[in-house]
């Protein structure tokens, strides 16, 4: 079967949703219900054994399929290379860290200089707090990080469309 990484990720997501839904249904069939009369006779009201076994087998099958598909995804993410030689997986990790750095740098832009009058019993003065970095430089660094992240994301997106064969 021919597939690309984007389609493979969608297939994995679809299987994981189906797995969750099926596992929820499985939990409904864990117990059998019966009524025992005072004279000792037992009548089965709800027998869920067959449904449970069928759903459990399907859950196990889906689990194996998800594992197989994720292994293929991780293998391809570690084999497809960006123009700079990084694998998709390493680029994803780096972009994740660059996004965290960018978010942290953006919080630095929220700080402002502060001048506050302090009055004591027989003394009065101004307490001044000034930012000890250039906000323009921080902003420029944020813009550079954003550009690098977008370029890497675009390159990953192009690689995600490369088709390859898999056996299902």
């Amino acid at each position: 079967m021919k597939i690309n990484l984007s389609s493979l990720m969608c297939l994995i997501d679809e299987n994981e949703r189906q797995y969750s839904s099926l596992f929820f249904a499985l939990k409904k069939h864990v117990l059998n219900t019966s009524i025992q009369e005072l004279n000792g006779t037992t009548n089965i009201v709800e027998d869920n054994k067959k449904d449970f076994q069928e759903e459990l087998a399907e859950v196990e099958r889906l689990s194996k399929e998800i594992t197989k598909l994720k292994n293929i995804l991780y293998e391809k993410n570690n084999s497809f290379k960006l123009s700079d030689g990084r694998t998709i997986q390493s680029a994803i990790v780096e972009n994740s860290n660059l996004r965290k750095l960018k978010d942290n740098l953006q919080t630095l832009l929220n700080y402002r200089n502060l001048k506050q009058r302090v009055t004591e019993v027989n003394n009065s003065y101004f307490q001044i707090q000034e930012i000890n970095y250039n906000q323009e430089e921080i902003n420029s660094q944020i813009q550079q990080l954003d550009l690098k992240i977008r370029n890497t994301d675009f390159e990953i997106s192009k690689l995600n469309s490369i088709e390859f064969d898999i056996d299902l």
Side-chain angles (χ1 to χ4, degrees):
M1 169 183 184
K2 281 229 182 261
I3 195 166
N4 61 33
L5 288 176
S6 295
S7 298
L8 181 59
M9 287 184 281
C10 289
L11 183 60
I12 290 169
D13 187 50
E14 181 182 315
N15 281 348
E16 286 178 334
R17 276 196 305 271
Q18 187 180 358
Y19 176 88
S20 295
S21 175
L22 195 57
F23 200 79
F24 184 76
L26 174 75
K27 290 191 280 186
K28 290 181 179 180
H29 297 122
V30 169
L31 301 172
N32 291 331
T33 306
S34 59
I35 297 174
Q36 186 175 23
E37 302 285 339
L38 294 177
N39 66 6
T41 44
T42 302
N43 295 318
I44 297 174
V45 175
E46 197 174 1
D47 185 2
N48 292 315
K49 187 172 182 93
K50 182 180 177 192
D51 291 337
F52 177 82
Q53 289 174 337
E54 289 172 358
E55 288 168 352
L56 181 61
E58 182 63 12
V59 162
E60 290 170 348
R61 185 197 68 75
L62 272 173
S63 176
K64 288 177 185 173
E65 184 173 334
I66 290 168
T67 300
K68 179 181 177 182
L69 293 174
K70 282 189 174 184
N71 284 339
I72 293 169
L73 176 65
Y74 297 147
E75 176 190 321
K76 296 299 180 184
N77 276 348
N78 282 314
S79 65
F80 288 169
K81 299 206 183 274
L82 280 68
S83 61
D84 61 5
R86 292 179 296 163
T87 64
I88 291 176
Q89 193 62 44
S90 68
I92 289 170
V93 170
E94 184 178 347
N95 264 11
S96 175
N97 290 330
L98 290 177
R99 281 186 177 91
K100 288 176 191 173
L101 175 60
K102 180 182 149 198
D103 289 344
N104 288 329
L105 289 175
Q106 283 178 320
T107 61
L108 293 177
L109 296 178
N110 294 329
Y111 287 93
R112 301 284 178 246
N113 292 332
L114 178 67
K115 182 177 182 180
Q116 185 176 16
R117 183 182 176 123
V118 177
T119 305
E120 296 175 347
V121 176
N122 58 357
N123 193 10
S124 187
Y125 57 91
F126 288 101
Q127 180 177 339
I128 300 171
Q129 293 179 322
E130 295 177 329
I131 296 171
N132 61 7
Y133 55 88
N134 185 337
Q135 287 190 322
E136 300 282 327
E137 288 176 10
I138 297 294
N139 201 26
S140 173
Q141 191 175 359
I142 289 170
Q143 299 307 316
Q144 290 171 357
L145 288 171
D146 192 48
L147 181 63
K148 185 173 183 178
I149 291 168
R150 279 188 282 135
N151 288 341
T152 301
D153 282 345
F154 179 70
E155 231 180 304
I156 290 172
S157 178
K158 287 193 312 189
L159 290 173
N160 282 344
S161 64
I162 295 174
E163 287 191 340
F164 53 90
D165 289 315
I166 63 170
D167 295 324
L168 291 181

